Amino acid sequence: MKRFLRDNGLSLGFGAMFLAALVGQAFAGQSDFNHRQLAQGGRELSLLQYVVSSDFAVNVAENWQSEYLQFFLYVFATVWLVQRGSPESKPVGEVGLESDKEQKVGRYADEDSPQWAKAGGWRTTLFSRSLGIAMAVIFLLSWFAQSVSGLSVYNAEQIAELQDPVTWAGYVGSGEFWNRTLQNWQSELLAVGSLAVLSVYLRQRGSPESKPVGTSHETTETSG
């Protein structure tokens, strides 16, 4: 058990923090929602009712989709774009997909390489892009969940104000939807760009996201 906890500390630690933040968001969101409901003469919701409501779903989904958009873009962008001196970047001279030998696929695979890296053909092609595809799929699913739950919340507000509800296409094309979406996207893109640049000049001792403290600013150390 101790070895399992040690070997999986990063995923377990962030998983626990994620659950704690999600529970905290549920309680805080319920309190805020009920406060607004009372101010408008509406009905309060229990915690369980709030957790399965569109109001909670849209707040969760809009954050998830922006996070996975960040990772999706970063995984693909770092294949072709580089930042000299940043540990978040490949060395300047290694732009592109790299050779089969460098990537250890097909006949260049090691004995303990994943089976699909050895297989060749469509399986190796798919496995070679599986991380980016996974990020893209999760992003699209969470974006769709945001649009559906956001539509429900928006139409509830429309009806409360004696205005006509809109269709899904109408909501996705609305300023309200894109305001909620783009305010998350721009913050995520700013954070990634800032990390790529600041890590050229600043250090965090012991972190794989940082170069060793004494490494020159110009040197890219992809292994941390």
Side-chain angles (χ1 to χ4, degrees):
M1 179 58 71
K2 290 176 64 176
R3 181 176 179 179
F4 174 80
L5 293 175
R6 182 200 65 192
D7 292 349
N8 298 280
L10 190 60
S11 56
L12 292 172
F14 272 89
M17 288 187 283
F18 161 72
L19 291 176
L22 188 64
V23 170
Q25 180 185 354
F27 279 101
Q30 180 208 17
S31 176
D32 178 63
F33 179 84
N34 285 340
H35 178 76
R36 287 184 280 115
Q37 286 292 94
L38 288 174
Q40 298 168 5
R43 180 176 64 90
E44 291 185 286
L45 296 182
S46 67
L47 180 63
L48 179 59
Q49 289 173 322
Y50 177 71
V51 167
V52 298
S53 71
S54 296
D55 189 87
F56 181 70
V58 70
N59 290 331
V60 172
E62 73 178 21
N63 284 291
W64 287 14
Q65 58 91 6
S66 64
E67 295 293 341
Y68 280 100
L69 173 68
Q70 171 195 151
F71 288 123
F72 163 67
L73 291 177
Y74 197 69
V75 166
F76 275 101
T78 50
V79 175
W80 304 101
L81 303 179
V82 296
Q83 181 65 49
R84 182 183 293 275
S86 175
E88 300 299 311
S89 167
K90 296 192 295 186
V92 174
E94 296 181 10
V95 172
L97 298 175
E98 303 178 1
S99 67
D100 287 354
K101 184 176 182 179
E102 291 171 316
Q103 287 292 309
K104 298 182 178 181
V105 297
R107 63 192 180 93
Y108 299 105
D110 293 334
E111 184 177 340
D112 59 350
S113 294
Q115 286 300 316
W116 279 35
K118 303 176 183 178
W122 67 269
R123 286 179 293 179
T124 296
T125 298
L126 180 61
F127 185 67
S128 298
R129 294 161 176 79
S130 56
L131 180 60
I133 291 171
M135 296 294 108
V137 169
I138 297 173
F139 160 67
L140 291 173
L141 290 175
S142 54
W143 181 89
F144 181 71
Q146 178 202 346
S147 69
V148 172
S149 55
L151 172 64
S152 178
V153 172
Y154 183 77
N155 279 340
E157 294 173 351
Q158 288 288 95
I159 293 171
E161 296 172 0
L162 303 180
Q163 299 184 45
D164 292 332
V166 299
T167 63
W168 179 83
Y171 175 67
V172 169
S174 70
E176 200 273 347
F177 174 77
W178 285 106
N179 178 53
R180 295 181 71 113
T181 299
L182 292 173
Q183 67 179 328
N184 284 291
W185 289 9
Q186 54 88 12
S187 63
E188 300 298 340
L189 296 173
L190 174 64
V192 171
S194 298
L195 179 61
V197 174
L198 292 175
S199 60
V200 176
Y201 304 101
L202 305 179
R203 306 288 188 269
Q204 182 61 51
R205 185 167 185 157
S207 173
E209 299 304 311
S210 168
K211 292 183 289 189
V213 177
T215 303
S216 69
H217 295 323
E218 292 76 16
T219 302
T220 299
E221 295 286 355
T222 55
S223 60

